[in-house]
Amino acid sequence: MMKHKIAAQLYTVRDLLEKDFIGVLKELKEMGYAGVEMAGLYGHDPKEIAAALKELGLSVAGMHVGLDRLRNELPAVLDEAELFGTKHLVMPYVLEEDRTEEYYVSLKAELNELAVVLKKDGYTISYHNHDFEFHKEIDGKVVLEYLLEPSADNLLHAELDVYWVTKAGRDVQEFLSPLAGRVPTLHMKDMAAGEEGSFAEVGTGVIDFEPVLRWGEENGVQWYIIEQDVCPGNPLDSLRVSIGNLQGMMDRM
């Protein structure tokens, strides 16, 4: 029974949150989502959102937090995490101008230093990938393998995004296999057939999610987080299709 592990990444509904954050949360709860992953507060008070989540019985699967906030506002970030009842902090993105070997080397070191400090309180720090981390190498490994290297002294966890791994032409299973116990949250996102390889609702594209779910259940994944960066219509409709299909796959397993 994995359905209690399905969350929605709120970045998917970013435009709706500004207008009616709590209304969106209610709809997600009605669709069957057990949790959400935070991607910012869109002008809302964290206490108000935390109270609404609690009232609805929605968990927080994690928080996307930019490096500048981790550096400059860590106490506030940890207060939010405490409010939301999550222990997973995720670095979501590296700006184009920062994608140099030098930057990635210092990033890995900096996030590890932070992870050592926060580990005492039970926090994990994860890196969320796109496809650009596959286009550059450091020490003979692609950047993502370098950042997530499963060595004892690397405390950086992975929020692996199966769409972007596939988009980069890599095999998801092959990429996951060395990361047992290092993937607290997984991004479930499908890729449409065809050359564009655009974003698609889970179960409507070319990615085979069942082996991913099987791996996740054997290797410590706590949340399967549905995200769709761009949706053809109302993103809530896309999230509804995705959770229906993902639950169907879970039933079949």
Side-chain angles (χ1 to χ4, degrees), residues 114-225:
L114 198 52
V116 170
V117 176
L118 294 181
K119 195 181 178 185
K120 299 193 219 7
D121 295 318
Y123 288 95
T124 61
I125 294 188
S126 298
Y127 182 86
H128 170 263
N129 65 287
H130 292 78
D131 57 350
F132 55 78
E133 299 90 348
F134 290 92
H135 302 154
K136 189 188 244 10
E137 290 201 352
I138 298 176
D139 300 341
K141 296 181 214 41
V142 296
V143 166
L144 196 58
E145 286 166 321
Y146 166 79
L147 290 174
L148 302 177
E149 198 172 3
S151 60
D153 61 351
N154 184 19
L155 297 179
L156 194 48
H157 285 64
E159 178 167 79
L160 205 74
D161 185 306
V162 300
Y163 167 90
W164 288 114
V165 174
T166 306
K167 181 90 168 165
R170 296 293 291 264
D171 179 78
V172 175
Q173 287 302 109
E174 195 185 325
F175 205 86
L176 276 172
S177 65
L179 299 177
R182 291 172 170 261
V183 189
T185 59
L186 254 177
H187 269 201
M188 312 296 269
K189 180 191 299 185
D190 214 340
M191 187 165 98
E195 254 174 69
E196 282 290 288
S198 52
F199 304 111
E201 289 74 17
V202 170
T204 67
V206 299
I207 295 176
D208 184 3
F209 288 93
E210 287 192 24
V212 174
L213 290 168
R214 221 167 271 123
W215 185 91
E217 289 307 283
E218 286 163 13
N219 294 289
V221 171
Q222 293 167 32
W223 287 100
Y224 300 101
I225 302 171

Side-chain angles (χ1 to χ4, degrees), residues 18-251:
E18 289 175 30
K19 301 179 197 83
D20 186 9
F21 205 124
I22 290 166
V24 169
L25 294 178
K26 284 187 178 136
E27 278 211 53
L28 294 172
K29 176 68 182 177
E30 279 160 22
M31 286 178 207
Y33 283 93
V36 295
E37 185 175 37
M38 305 301 290
L41 287 160
Y42 300 95
H44 296 265
D45 172 19
K47 288 193 181 64
E48 176 203 1
I49 300 304
L53 288 162
K54 197 168 191 163
E55 197 179 317
L56 289 165
L58 280 170
S59 301
V60 173
M63 280 168 57
H64 276 196
V65 188
L67 191 60
D68 52 339
R69 283 200 79 200
L70 288 173
R71 277 178 182 158
N72 307 318
E73 299 171 38
L74 191 61
V77 169
L78 295 179
D79 284 348
E80 271 172 42
E82 185 82 19
L83 259 180
F84 295 136
T86 185
K87 291 291 190 185
H88 300 310
L89 307 178
V90 183
M91 154 108 187
Y93 195 66
V94 171
L95 296 169
E96 202 162 341
E97 62 268 24
D98 289 334
R99 295 170 197 171
T100 63
E101 178 167 343
E102 210 174 18
Y103 180 86
Y104 288 122
V105 171
S106 70
L107 178 70
K108 185 179 182 179
E110 184 175 357
L111 292 178
N112 265 288
E113 277 170 36
L114 198 52
V116 170
V117 176
L118 294 181
K119 195 181 178 185
K120 299 193 219 7
D121 295 318
Y123 288 95
T124 61
I125 294 188
S126 298
Y127 182 86
H128 170 263
N129 65 287
H130 292 78
D131 57 350
F132 55 78
E133 299 90 348
F134 290 92
H135 302 154
K136 189 188 244 10
E137 290 201 352
I138 298 176
D139 300 341
K141 296 181 214 41
V142 296
V143 166
L144 196 58
E145 286 166 321
Y146 166 79
L147 290 174
L148 302 177
E149 198 172 3
S151 60
D153 61 351
N154 184 19
L155 297 179
L156 194 48
H157 285 64
E159 178 167 79
L160 205 74
D161 185 306
V162 300
Y163 167 90
W164 288 114
V165 174
T166 306
K167 181 90 168 165
R170 296 293 291 264
D171 179 78
V172 175
Q173 287 302 109
E174 195 185 325
F175 205 86
L176 276 172
S177 65
L179 299 177
R182 291 172 170 261
V183 189
T185 59
L186 254 177
H187 269 201
M188 312 296 269
K189 180 191 299 185
D190 214 340
M191 187 165 98
E195 254 174 69
E196 282 290 288
S198 52
F199 304 111
E201 289 74 17
V202 170
T204 67
V206 299
I207 295 176
D208 184 3
F209 288 93
E210 287 192 24
V212 174
L213 290 168
R214 221 167 271 123
W215 185 91
E217 289 307 283
E218 286 163 13
N219 294 289
V221 171
Q222 293 167 32
W223 287 100
Y224 300 101
I225 302 171
I226 293 172
E227 179 184 42
Q228 194 168 333
D229 308 43
V230 182
C231 302
N234 184 327
L236 285 167
D237 295 336
S238 291
L239 286 174
R240 191 175 286 111
V241 170
S242 288
I243 191 172
N245 288 338
L246 192 59
Q247 287 175 333
M249 292 171 203
M250 289 173 171
D251 286 339

